[in-house]
Amino acid sequence: WEEVIIMLPSHIKLIFLSATTPNAKDFSEWIGRTKNKKVFLMGTKERPVPLQHFLYHEQEMYTLMSGNKFNEKAIAAATDHEKKKNMPKPKTAENAKFAAQRQ
């Protein structure tokens, strides 16, 4: 992407949108130097679209975080699901008979 920015013709206008650029000031200064253009950097702490975090595990969707609220129940439910999956299965009569024959 750096080469694309560098090689763009000067008549092309650039607009960058990102909610996850930690070094937006450095990045915008680099673009200004590279393209020899004045750059305007704007920001806000408000998220027009709330950030959500999900965990998809074993065909189940868990909402871990919505907005600024952490969902501890979802973590507990996912953890319980994993524990149950890893627990030994109860022996059926057929399994017990097969195990006895092997000994």
Side-chain angles (χ1 to χ4, degrees):
W1 58 265
E2 294 166 337
E3 290 178 8
V4 171
I5 294 170
I6 292 167
M7 299 303 289
L8 279 174
S10 61
H11 70 278
I12 302 291
K13 305 282 186 210
L14 302 172
I15 297 176
F16 295 88
L17 303 172
S18 177
T20 59
T21 306
N23 60 339
K25 187 172 185 288
D26 296 334
F27 183 61
S28 61
E29 288 172 354
W30 174 79
I31 291 171
R33 285 190 312 273
T34 302
K35 301 308 290 178
N36 197 26
K37 299 278 184 179
K38 193 170 190 172
V39 174
F40 299 93
L41 178 62
M42 293 179 258
T44 180
K45 299 286 183 190
E46 182 182 336
R47 292 189 66 86
V49 177
L51 184 61
Q52 295 181 319
H53 298 273
F54 296 95
L55 171 66
Y56 186 72
H57 177 66
E58 298 288 330
Q59 307 293 321
E60 294 286 332
M61 181 83 76
Y62 301 93
T63 304
L64 302 180
M65 189 170 195
S66 184
N68 291 332
K69 191 170 181 180
F70 186 70
N71 185 357
E72 292 185 29
K73 290 181 181 179
I75 291 288
T79 303
D80 287 345
H81 182 101
E82 186 65 16
K83 284 179 183 175
K84 287 177 185 174
K85 183 184 89 168
N86 290 327
M87 289 178 69
K89 304 286 186 266
K91 285 188 178 178
T92 62
E94 186 176 330
N95 288 346
K97 181 180 174 184
F98 179 71
Q101 289 174 349
R102 290 181 48 202
Q103 293 177 350

